[in-house]
Amino acid sequence: MIRRRHPIPHSKSDGSAPVTDVYLLFAHEPYYPHADTQEINTTVVCADSLLHPRVLQPDGARIHDRRTRALSLGLP
């Protein structure tokens, strides 16, 4: 279960309202966090995590912009 945290609004250069509650599901090679546990091969992250300084930029910002802009326009 994913618990929702209070979103931190990010200012946008175009003056539009920030999009909140956007999450991305990443599929990756499975790994086992501990012995006798089930493998993990997906991770759910908040879309705003793509704006973190340790994420390669401008790639992270481009993915974030395209995904949140599509949602603000009502696209899937």
Side-chain angles (χ1 to χ4, degrees):
M1 180 171 163
I2 301 171
R3 291 184 181 254
R4 189 177 138 190
R5 296 182 181 199
H6 298 289
I8 300 171
H10 295 278
S11 59
K12 295 180 116 182
S13 59
D14 62 1
S16 63
V19 177
T20 59
D21 295 337
V22 178
Y23 298 90
L24 303 170
L25 175 67
F26 290 101
H28 49 75
E29 292 293 319
Y31 65 93
Y32 298 86
H34 304 285
D36 300 325
T37 60
Q38 187 175 5
E39 67 197 43
I40 297 174
N41 60 0
T42 58
T43 303
V44 176
V45 298
C46 177
D48 285 347
S49 65
L50 293 170
L51 302 175
H52 192 276
R54 289 190 178 176
V55 174
L56 293 177
Q57 300 299 338
D59 297 337
R62 286 181 182 154
I63 294 168
H64 178 271
D65 181 58
R66 290 188 177 133
R67 189 65 221 149
T68 57
R69 184 176 298 170
L71 290 173
S72 67
L73 296 173
L75 302 173

